[in-house]
mmCIF file with all atom_site columns, all heavy atoms in Angstrom:
data_model
loop_
_atom_site.group_PDB
_atom_site.id
_atom_site.type_symbol
_atom_site.label_atom_id
_atom_site.label_alt_id
_atom_site.label_comp_id
_atom_site.label_asym_id
_atom_site.label_entity_id
_atom_site.label_seq_id
_atom_site.pdbx_PDB_ins_code
_atom_site.Cartn_x
_atom_site.Cartn_y
_atom_site.Cartn_z
_atom_site.occupancy
_atom_site.B_iso_or_equiv
_atom_site.pdbx_formal_charge
_atom_site.auth_seq_id
_atom_site.auth_comp_id
_atom_site.auth_asym_id
_atom_site.auth_atom_id
_atom_site.pdbx_PDB_model_num
ATOM 1   N N   . ARG A 1 1  ? 0.861   -1.235 -0.008  1.00 0.00 ? 1  ARG A N   1
ATOM 2   C CA  . ARG A 1 1  ? -0.086  0.002  0.011   1.00 0.00 ? 1  ARG A CA  1
ATOM 3   C C   . ARG A 1 1  ? 0.920   1.283  -0.048  1.00 0.00 ? 1  ARG A C   1
ATOM 4   O O   . ARG A 1 1  ? 0.612   2.155  -0.743  1.00 0.00 ? 1  ARG A O   1
ATOM 5   C CB  . ARG A 1 1  ? -0.914  -0.028 1.178   1.00 0.00 ? 1  ARG A CB  1
ATOM 6   C CG  . ARG A 1 1  ? -2.112  -0.930 1.077   1.00 0.00 ? 1  ARG A CG  1
ATOM 7   C CD  . ARG A 1 1  ? -3.170  -0.707 2.215   1.00 0.00 ? 1  ARG A CD  1
ATOM 8   N NE  . ARG A 1 1  ? -2.635  -0.956 3.477   1.00 0.00 ? 1  ARG A NE  1
ATOM 9   C CZ  . ARG A 1 1  ? -2.870  -2.173 4.137   1.00 0.00 ? 1  ARG A CZ  1
ATOM 10  N NH1 . ARG A 1 1  ? -3.400  -3.035 3.668   1.00 0.00 ? 1  ARG A NH1 1
ATOM 11  N NH2 . ARG A 1 1  ? -2.370  -2.255 5.440   1.00 0.00 ? 1  ARG A NH2 1
ATOM 12  N N   . ARG A 1 2  ? 1.911   1.220  0.829   1.00 0.00 ? 2  ARG A N   1
ATOM 13  C CA  . ARG A 1 2  ? 2.811   2.432  0.872   1.00 0.00 ? 2  ARG A CA  1
ATOM 14  C C   . ARG A 1 2  ? 3.486   2.666  -0.493  1.00 0.00 ? 2  ARG A C   1
ATOM 15  O O   . ARG A 1 2  ? 3.635   3.786  -0.981  1.00 0.00 ? 2  ARG A O   1
ATOM 16  C CB  . ARG A 1 2  ? 3.919   2.171  1.992   1.00 0.00 ? 2  ARG A CB  1
ATOM 17  C CG  . ARG A 1 2  ? 4.989   3.214  2.161   1.00 0.00 ? 2  ARG A CG  1
ATOM 18  C CD  . ARG A 1 2  ? 5.880   2.863  3.239   1.00 0.00 ? 2  ARG A CD  1
ATOM 19  N NE  . ARG A 1 2  ? 6.986   3.721  3.316   1.00 0.00 ? 2  ARG A NE  1
ATOM 20  C CZ  . ARG A 1 2  ? 7.014   4.921  3.826   1.00 0.00 ? 2  ARG A CZ  1
ATOM 21  N NH1 . ARG A 1 2  ? 5.857   5.366  4.413   1.00 0.00 ? 2  ARG A NH1 1
ATOM 22  N NH2 . ARG A 1 2  ? 8.115   5.714  3.880   1.00 0.00 ? 2  ARG A NH2 1
ATOM 23  N N   . GLU A 1 3  ? 3.907   1.531  -1.162  1.00 0.00 ? 3  GLU A N   1
ATOM 24  C CA  . GLU A 1 3  ? 4.555   1.603  -2.425  1.00 0.00 ? 3  GLU A CA  1
ATOM 25  C C   . GLU A 1 3  ? 3.478   2.202  -3.374  1.00 0.00 ? 3  GLU A C   1
ATOM 26  O O   . GLU A 1 3  ? 3.928   3.077  -4.221  1.00 0.00 ? 3  GLU A O   1
ATOM 27  C CB  . GLU A 1 3  ? 5.000   0.264  -2.914  1.00 0.00 ? 3  GLU A CB  1
ATOM 28  C CG  . GLU A 1 3  ? 6.004   0.252  -4.001  1.00 0.00 ? 3  GLU A CG  1
ATOM 29  C CD  . GLU A 1 3  ? 6.519   -1.110 -4.232  1.00 0.00 ? 3  GLU A CD  1
ATOM 30  O OE1 . GLU A 1 3  ? 7.452   -1.537 -3.501  1.00 0.00 ? 3  GLU A OE1 1
ATOM 31  O OE2 . GLU A 1 3  ? 6.074   -1.722 -5.241  1.00 0.00 ? 3  GLU A OE2 1
ATOM 32  N N   . ARG A 1 4  ? 2.290   1.824  -3.368  1.00 0.00 ? 4  ARG A N   1
ATOM 33  C CA  . ARG A 1 4  ? 1.351   2.348  -4.312  1.00 0.00 ? 4  ARG A CA  1
ATOM 34  C C   . ARG A 1 4  ? 1.065   3.819  -4.099  1.00 0.00 ? 4  ARG A C   1
ATOM 35  O O   . ARG A 1 4  ? 0.891   4.539  -5.041  1.00 0.00 ? 4  ARG A O   1
ATOM 36  C CB  . ARG A 1 4  ? -0.010  1.565  -4.133  1.00 0.00 ? 4  ARG A CB  1
ATOM 37  C CG  . ARG A 1 4  ? 0.033   0.187  -4.810  1.00 0.00 ? 4  ARG A CG  1
ATOM 38  C CD  . ARG A 1 4  ? -1.177  -0.674 -4.585  1.00 0.00 ? 4  ARG A CD  1
ATOM 39  N NE  . ARG A 1 4  ? -2.419  -0.022 -4.934  1.00 0.00 ? 4  ARG A NE  1
ATOM 40  C CZ  . ARG A 1 4  ? -3.663  -0.562 -4.617  1.00 0.00 ? 4  ARG A CZ  1
ATOM 41  N NH1 . ARG A 1 4  ? -3.766  -1.693 -3.927  1.00 0.00 ? 4  ARG A NH1 1
ATOM 42  N NH2 . ARG A 1 4  ? -4.716  0.088  -4.968  1.00 0.00 ? 4  ARG A NH2 1
ATOM 43  N N   . LEU A 1 5  ? 1.035   4.231  -2.821  1.00 0.00 ? 5  LEU A N   1
ATOM 44  C CA  . LEU A 1 5  ? 0.873   5.719  -2.540  1.00 0.00 ? 5  LEU A CA  1
ATOM 45  C C   . LEU A 1 5  ? 2.116   6.452  -3.022  1.00 0.00 ? 5  LEU A C   1
ATOM 46  O O   . LEU A 1 5  ? 1.916   7.515  -3.605  1.00 0.00 ? 5  LEU A O   1
ATOM 47  C CB  . LEU A 1 5  ? 0.697   5.805  -0.977  1.00 0.00 ? 5  LEU A CB  1
ATOM 48  C CG  . LEU A 1 5  ? -0.589  5.336  -0.448  1.00 0.00 ? 5  LEU A CG  1
ATOM 49  C CD1 . LEU A 1 5  ? -0.517  5.170  1.051   1.00 0.00 ? 5  LEU A CD1 1
ATOM 50  C CD2 . LEU A 1 5  ? -1.754  6.265  -0.912  1.00 0.00 ? 5  LEU A CD2 1
ATOM 51  N N   . LEU A 1 6  ? 3.225   5.915  -2.829  1.00 0.00 ? 6  LEU A N   1
ATOM 52  C CA  . LEU A 1 6  ? 4.480   6.671  -3.291  1.00 0.00 ? 6  LEU A CA  1
ATOM 53  C C   . LEU A 1 6  ? 4.527   6.845  -4.821  1.00 0.00 ? 6  LEU A C   1
ATOM 54  O O   . LEU A 1 6  ? 4.818   7.830  -5.318  1.00 0.00 ? 6  LEU A O   1
ATOM 55  C CB  . LEU A 1 6  ? 5.709   6.036  -2.797  1.00 0.00 ? 6  LEU A CB  1
ATOM 56  C CG  . LEU A 1 6  ? 5.940   6.112  -1.319  1.00 0.00 ? 6  LEU A CG  1
ATOM 57  C CD1 . LEU A 1 6  ? 7.082   5.228  -0.805  1.00 0.00 ? 6  LEU A CD1 1
ATOM 58  C CD2 . LEU A 1 6  ? 6.329   7.576  -0.907  1.00 0.00 ? 6  LEU A CD2 1
ATOM 59  N N   . ASP A 1 7  ? 4.115   5.715  -5.433  1.00 0.00 ? 7  ASP A N   1
ATOM 60  C CA  . ASP A 1 7  ? 4.077   5.724  -6.947  1.00 0.00 ? 7  ASP A CA  1
ATOM 61  C C   . ASP A 1 7  ? 3.081   6.670  -7.460  1.00 0.00 ? 7  ASP A C   1
ATOM 62  O O   . ASP A 1 7  ? 3.279   7.464  -8.357  1.00 0.00 ? 7  ASP A O   1
ATOM 63  C CB  . ASP A 1 7  ? 3.639   4.324  -7.447  1.00 0.00 ? 7  ASP A CB  1
ATOM 64  C CG  . ASP A 1 7  ? 4.870   3.352  -7.432  1.00 0.00 ? 7  ASP A CG  1
ATOM 65  O OD1 . ASP A 1 7  ? 6.045   3.788  -7.241  1.00 0.00 ? 7  ASP A OD1 1
ATOM 66  O OD2 . ASP A 1 7  ? 4.652   2.107  -7.553  1.00 0.00 ? 7  ASP A OD2 1
ATOM 67  N N   . ALA A 1 8  ? 1.958   6.753  -6.806  1.00 0.00 ? 8  ALA A N   1
ATOM 68  C CA  . ALA A 1 8  ? 0.950   7.789  -7.165  1.00 0.00 ? 8  ALA A CA  1
ATOM 69  C C   . ALA A 1 8  ? 1.372   9.178  -6.892  1.00 0.00 ? 8  ALA A C   1
ATOM 70  O O   . ALA A 1 8  ? 1.166   10.127 -7.663  1.00 0.00 ? 8  ALA A O   1
ATOM 71  C CB  . ALA A 1 8  ? -0.348  7.464  -6.267  1.00 0.00 ? 8  ALA A CB  1
ATOM 72  N N   . GLY A 1 9  ? 2.223   9.395  -5.829  1.00 0.00 ? 9  GLY A N   1
ATOM 73  C CA  . GLY A 1 9  ? 2.826   10.728 -5.472  1.00 0.00 ? 9  GLY A CA  1
ATOM 74  C C   . GLY A 1 9  ? 3.762   11.055 -6.593  1.00 0.00 ? 9  GLY A C   1
ATOM 75  O O   . GLY A 1 9  ? 3.732   12.305 -6.986  1.00 0.00 ? 9  GLY A O   1
ATOM 76  N N   . ILE A 1 10 ? 4.646   10.140 -7.035  1.00 0.00 ? 10 ILE A N   1
ATOM 77  C CA  . ILE A 1 10 ? 5.464   10.530 -8.157  1.00 0.00 ? 10 ILE A CA  1
ATOM 78  C C   . ILE A 1 10 ? 4.798   10.942 -9.315  1.00 0.00 ? 10 ILE A C   1
ATOM 79  O O   . ILE A 1 10 ? 5.072   11.983 -9.985  1.00 0.00 ? 10 ILE A O   1
ATOM 80  C CB  . ILE A 1 10 ? 6.461   9.319  -8.512  1.00 0.00 ? 10 ILE A CB  1
ATOM 81  C CG1 . ILE A 1 10 ? 7.372   9.017  -7.341  1.00 0.00 ? 10 ILE A CG1 1
ATOM 82  C CG2 . ILE A 1 10 ? 7.285   9.593  -9.786  1.00 0.00 ? 10 ILE A CG2 1
ATOM 83  C CD1 . ILE A 1 10 ? 8.187   7.749  -7.443  1.00 0.00 ? 10 ILE A CD1 1
ATOM 84  N N   . ALA A 1 11 ? 3.684   10.246 -9.657  1.00 0.00 ? 11 ALA A N   1
ATOM 85  C CA  . ALA A 1 11 ? 2.890   10.616 -10.849 1.00 0.00 ? 11 ALA A CA  1
ATOM 86  C C   . ALA A 1 11 ? 2.267   12.011 -10.725 1.00 0.00 ? 11 ALA A C   1
ATOM 87  O O   . ALA A 1 11 ? 2.155   12.768 -11.697 1.00 0.00 ? 11 ALA A O   1
ATOM 88  C CB  . ALA A 1 11 ? 1.870   9.571  -11.184 1.00 0.00 ? 11 ALA A CB  1
ATOM 89  N N   . LEU A 1 12 ? 1.661   12.245 -9.518  1.00 0.00 ? 12 LEU A N   1
ATOM 90  C CA  . LEU A 1 12 ? 0.936   13.504 -9.297  1.00 0.00 ? 12 LEU A CA  1
ATOM 91  C C   . LEU A 1 12 ? 1.936   14.692 -9.196  1.00 0.00 ? 12 LEU A C   1
ATOM 92  O O   . LEU A 1 12 ? 1.711   15.694 -9.740  1.00 0.00 ? 12 LEU A O   1
ATOM 93  C CB  . LEU A 1 12 ? 0.063   13.357 -8.128  1.00 0.00 ? 12 LEU A CB  1
ATOM 94  C CG  . LEU A 1 12 ? -1.252  12.395 -8.262  1.00 0.00 ? 12 LEU A CG  1
ATOM 95  C CD1 . LEU A 1 12 ? -1.866  12.291 -7.024  1.00 0.00 ? 12 LEU A CD1 1
ATOM 96  C CD2 . LEU A 1 12 ? -2.154  13.087 -9.357  1.00 0.00 ? 12 LEU A CD2 1
ATOM 97  N N   . ILE A 1 13 ? 2.948   14.564 -8.310  1.00 0.00 ? 13 ILE A N   1
ATOM 98  C CA  . ILE A 1 13 ? 3.813   15.683 -8.096  1.00 0.00 ? 13 ILE A CA  1
ATOM 99  C C   . ILE A 1 13 ? 4.578   15.877 -9.305  1.00 0.00 ? 13 ILE A C   1
ATOM 100 O O   . ILE A 1 13 ? 5.079   16.991 -9.636  1.00 0.00 ? 13 ILE A O   1
ATOM 101 C CB  . ILE A 1 13 ? 4.756   15.366 -6.850  1.00 0.00 ? 13 ILE A CB  1
ATOM 102 C CG1 . ILE A 1 13 ? 3.928   15.218 -5.558  1.00 0.00 ? 13 ILE A CG1 1
ATOM 103 C CG2 . ILE A 1 13 ? 5.825   16.380 -6.670  1.00 0.00 ? 13 ILE A CG2 1
ATOM 104 C CD1 . ILE A 1 13 ? 4.586   14.585 -4.331  1.00 0.00 ? 13 ILE A CD1 1
ATOM 105 N N   . GLY A 1 14 ? 4.882   14.794 -10.033 1.00 0.00 ? 14 GLY A N   1
ATOM 106 C CA  . GLY A 1 14 ? 5.647   14.999 -11.238 1.00 0.00 ? 14 GLY A CA  1
ATOM 107 C C   . GLY A 1 14 ? 4.918   15.179 -12.582 1.00 0.00 ? 14 GLY A C   1
ATOM 108 O O   . GLY A 1 14 ? 5.431   15.116 -13.740 1.00 0.00 ? 14 GLY A O   1
ATOM 109 N N   . ALA A 1 15 ? 3.650   15.503 -12.365 1.00 0.00 ? 15 ALA A N   1
ATOM 110 C CA  . ALA A 1 15 ? 2.763   15.749 -13.551 1.00 0.00 ? 15 ALA A CA  1
ATOM 111 C C   . ALA A 1 15 ? 3.211   16.960 -14.259 1.00 0.00 ? 15 ALA A C   1
ATOM 112 O O   . ALA A 1 15 ? 3.744   17.899 -13.636 1.00 0.00 ? 15 ALA A O   1
ATOM 113 C CB  . ALA A 1 15 ? 1.394   15.956 -13.136 1.00 0.00 ? 15 ALA A CB  1
ATOM 114 N N   . PRO A 1 16 ? 3.110   17.004 -15.602 1.00 0.00 ? 16 PRO A N   1
ATOM 115 C CA  . PRO A 1 16 ? 3.602   18.123 -16.410 1.00 0.00 ? 16 PRO A CA  1
ATOM 116 C C   . PRO A 1 16 ? 3.030   19.545 -15.933 1.00 0.00 ? 16 PRO A C   1
ATOM 117 O O   . PRO A 1 16 ? 3.660   20.475 -16.002 1.00 0.00 ? 16 PRO A O   1
ATOM 118 C CB  . PRO A 1 16 ? 3.125   17.834 -17.790 1.00 0.00 ? 16 PRO A CB  1
ATOM 119 C CG  . PRO A 1 16 ? 2.962   16.361 -17.869 1.00 0.00 ? 16 PRO A CG  1
ATOM 120 C CD  . PRO A 1 16 ? 2.557   15.984 -16.408 1.00 0.00 ? 16 PRO A CD  1
ATOM 121 N N   . ASP A 1 17 ? 1.753   19.414 -15.425 1.00 0.00 ? 17 ASP A N   1
ATOM 122 C CA  . ASP A 1 17 ? 1.170   20.715 -15.018 1.00 0.00 ? 17 ASP A CA  1
ATOM 123 C C   . ASP A 1 17 ? 1.299   20.957 -13.597 1.00 0.00 ? 17 ASP A C   1
ATOM 124 O O   . ASP A 1 17 ? 0.717   21.920 -13.022 1.00 0.00 ? 17 ASP A O   1
ATOM 125 C CB  . ASP A 1 17 ? -0.296  20.716 -15.494 1.00 0.00 ? 17 ASP A CB  1
ATOM 126 C CG  . ASP A 1 17 ? -1.089  19.559 -14.616 1.00 0.00 ? 17 ASP A CG  1
ATOM 127 O OD1 . ASP A 1 17 ? -0.475  18.772 -14.043 1.00 0.00 ? 17 ASP A OD1 1
ATOM 128 O OD2 . ASP A 1 17 ? -2.291  19.459 -14.903 1.00 0.00 ? 17 ASP A OD2 1
ATOM 129 N N   . GLY A 1 18 ? 2.017   20.145 -12.900 1.00 0.00 ? 18 GLY A N   1
ATOM 130 C CA  . GLY A 1 18 ? 2.279   20.294 -11.484 1.00 0.00 ? 18 GLY A CA  1
ATOM 131 C C   . GLY A 1 18 ? 0.973   20.149 -10.735 1.00 0.00 ? 18 GLY A C   1
ATOM 132 O O   . GLY A 1 18 ? 0.639   20.853 -9.759  1.00 0.00 ? 18 GLY A O   1
ATOM 133 N N   . SER A 1 19 ? 0.411   19.103 -11.051 1.00 0.00 ? 19 SER A N   1
ATOM 134 C CA  . SER A 1 19 ? -0.939  18.716 -10.371 1.00 0.00 ? 19 SER A CA  1
ATOM 135 C C   . SER A 1 19 ? -0.922  18.760 -8.825  1.00 0.00 ? 19 SER A C   1
ATOM 136 O O   . SER A 1 19 ? 0.188   18.559 -8.214  1.00 0.00 ? 19 SER A O   1
ATOM 137 C CB  . SER A 1 19 ? -1.427  17.320 -10.700 1.00 0.00 ? 19 SER A CB  1
ATOM 138 O OG  . SER A 1 19 ? -1.751  17.275 -12.207 1.00 0.00 ? 19 SER A OG  1
ATOM 139 N N   . VAL A 1 20 ? -2.032  19.144 -8.256  1.00 0.00 ? 20 VAL A N   1
ATOM 140 C CA  . VAL A 1 20 ? -2.117  19.154 -6.856  1.00 0.00 ? 20 VAL A CA  1
ATOM 141 C C   . VAL A 1 20 ? -2.093  17.732 -6.272  1.00 0.00 ? 20 VAL A C   1
ATOM 142 O O   . VAL A 1 20 ? -2.831  16.894 -6.638  1.00 0.00 ? 20 VAL A O   1
ATOM 143 C CB  . VAL A 1 20 ? -3.399  19.808 -6.379  1.00 0.00 ? 20 VAL A CB  1
ATOM 144 C CG1 . VAL A 1 20 ? -3.567  19.810 -4.823  1.00 0.00 ? 20 VAL A CG1 1
ATOM 145 C CG2 . VAL A 1 20 ? -3.448  21.279 -6.885  1.00 0.00 ? 20 VAL A CG2 1
ATOM 146 N N   . ALA A 1 21 ? -1.110  17.526 -5.364  1.00 0.00 ? 21 ALA A N   1
ATOM 147 C CA  . ALA A 1 21 ? -1.022  16.106 -4.770  1.00 0.00 ? 21 ALA A CA  1
ATOM 148 C C   . ALA A 1 21 ? -1.588  16.127 -3.338  1.00 0.00 ? 21 ALA A C   1
ATOM 149 O O   . ALA A 1 21 ? -0.852  15.944 -2.388  1.00 0.00 ? 21 ALA A O   1
ATOM 150 C CB  . ALA A 1 21 ? 0.471   15.736 -4.822  1.00 0.00 ? 21 ALA A CB  1
ATOM 151 N N   . ASN A 1 22 ? -2.914  16.450 -3.187  1.00 0.00 ? 22 ASN A N   1
ATOM 152 C CA  . ASN A 1 22 ? -3.522  16.488 -1.892  1.00 0.00 ? 22 ASN A CA  1
ATOM 153 C C   . ASN A 1 22 ? -3.780  15.019 -1.615  1.00 0.00 ? 22 ASN A C   1
ATOM 154 O O   . ASN A 1 22 ? -3.742  14.043 -2.332  1.00 0.00 ? 22 ASN A O   1
ATOM 155 C CB  . ASN A 1 22 ? -4.730  17.338 -1.851  1.00 0.00 ? 22 ASN A CB  1
ATOM 156 C CG  . ASN A 1 22 ? -5.831  16.939 -2.810  1.00 0.00 ? 22 ASN A CG  1
ATOM 157 O OD1 . ASN A 1 22 ? -5.995  15.651 -3.038  1.00 0.00 ? 22 ASN A OD1 1
ATOM 158 N ND2 . ASN A 1 22 ? -6.459  17.890 -3.449  1.00 0.00 ? 22 ASN A ND2 1
ATOM 159 N N   . VAL A 1 23 ? -4.105  14.794 -0.347  1.00 0.00 ? 23 VAL A N   1
ATOM 160 C CA  . VAL A 1 23 ? -4.302  13.294 0.202   1.00 0.00 ? 23 VAL A CA  1
ATOM 161 C C   . VAL A 1 23 ? -5.393  12.660 -0.564  1.00 0.00 ? 23 VAL A C   1
ATOM 162 O O   . VAL A 1 23 ? -5.184  11.513 -0.889  1.00 0.00 ? 23 VAL A O   1
ATOM 163 C CB  . VAL A 1 23 ? -4.646  13.408 1.671   1.00 0.00 ? 23 VAL A CB  1
ATOM 164 C CG1 . VAL A 1 23 ? -5.001  11.961 2.202   1.00 0.00 ? 23 VAL A CG1 1
ATOM 165 C CG2 . VAL A 1 23 ? -3.467  14.007 2.555   1.00 0.00 ? 23 VAL A CG2 1
ATOM 166 N N   . ARG A 1 24 ? -6.396  13.344 -0.837  1.00 0.00 ? 24 ARG A N   1
ATOM 167 C CA  . ARG A 1 24 ? -7.576  12.716 -1.505  1.00 0.00 ? 24 ARG A CA  1
ATOM 168 C C   . ARG A 1 24 ? -7.147  12.310 -2.959  1.00 0.00 ? 24 ARG A C   1
ATOM 169 O O   . ARG A 1 24 ? -7.442  11.210 -3.376  1.00 0.00 ? 24 ARG A O   1
ATOM 170 C CB  . ARG A 1 24 ? -8.788  13.604 -1.616  1.00 0.00 ? 24 ARG A CB  1
ATOM 171 C CG  . ARG A 1 24 ? -9.979  12.996 -2.236  1.00 0.00 ? 24 ARG A CG  1
ATOM 172 C CD  . ARG A 1 24 ? -11.159 13.840 -2.044  1.00 0.00 ? 24 ARG A CD  1
ATOM 173 N NE  . ARG A 1 24 ? -11.567 13.797 -0.648  1.00 0.00 ? 24 ARG A NE  1
ATOM 174 C CZ  . ARG A 1 24 ? -12.236 14.699 -0.084  1.00 0.00 ? 24 ARG A CZ  1
ATOM 175 N NH1 . ARG A 1 24 ? -12.868 15.687 -0.707  1.00 0.00 ? 24 ARG A NH1 1
ATOM 176 N NH2 . ARG A 1 24 ? -12.560 14.630 1.206   1.00 0.00 ? 24 ARG A NH2 1
ATOM 177 N N   . ALA A 1 25 ? -6.413  13.216 -3.610  1.00 0.00 ? 25 ALA A N   1
ATOM 178 C CA  . ALA A 1 25 ? -5.996  12.782 -4.989  1.00 0.00 ? 25 ALA A CA  1
ATOM 179 C C   . ALA A 1 25 ? -5.078  11.609 -4.985  1.00 0.00 ? 25 ALA A C   1
ATOM 180 O O   . ALA A 1 25 ? -5.041  10.741 -5.886  1.00 0.00 ? 25 ALA A O   1
ATOM 181 C CB  . ALA A 1 25 ? -5.374  13.944 -5.662  1.00 0.00 ? 25 ALA A CB  1
ATOM 182 N N   . VAL A 1 26 ? -4.122  11.678 -4.007  1.00 0.00 ? 26 VAL A N   1
ATOM 183 C CA  . VAL A 1 26 ? -3.229  10.528 -4.008  1.00 0.00 ? 26 VAL A CA  1
ATOM 184 C C   . VAL A 1 26 ? -3.778  9.266  -3.699  1.00 0.00 ? 26 VAL A C   1
ATOM 185 O O   . VAL A 1 26 ? -3.555  8.225  -4.311  1.00 0.00 ? 26 VAL A O   1
ATOM 186 C CB  . VAL A 1 26 ? -2.069  10.854 -2.888  1.00 0.00 ? 26 VAL A CB  1
ATOM 187 C CG1 . VAL A 1 26 ? -1.253  9.651  -2.572  1.00 0.00 ? 26 VAL A CG1 1
ATOM 188 C CG2 . VAL A 1 26 ? -1.193  12.068 -3.204  1.00 0.00 ? 26 VAL A CG2 1
ATOM 189 N N   . CYS A 1 27 ? -4.806  9.327  -2.804  1.00 0.00 ? 27 CYS A N   1
ATOM 190 C CA  . CYS A 1 27 ? -5.523  7.988  -2.501  1.00 0.00 ? 27 CYS A CA  1
ATOM 191 C C   . CYS A 1 27 ? -6.353  7.590  -3.553  1.00 0.00 ? 27 CYS A C   1
ATOM 192 O O   . CYS A 1 27 ? -6.383  6.365  -3.957  1.00 0.00 ? 27 CYS A O   1
ATOM 193 C CB  . CYS A 1 27 ? -6.397  8.278  -1.226  1.00 0.00 ? 27 CYS A CB  1
ATOM 194 S SG  . CYS A 1 27 ? -5.479  8.442  0.304   1.00 0.00 ? 27 CYS A SG  1
#
């Protein structure tokens, strides 16, 4: 689960538009 969250964080924080990586979006 932790790995899935971190992978999601990389995708969101590293999105081309600098997407918001709030808790809800990450989950």
Side-chain angles (χ1 to χ4, degrees):
R1 286 191 296 263
R2 179 181 171 78
E3 194 172 286
R4 284 173 55 189
L5 289 163
L6 290 169
D7 287 344
I10 291 169
L12 289 172
I13 297 166
D17 61 357
S19 293
V20 176
N22 60 40
V23 173
R24 185 170 292 161
V26 170
C27 291

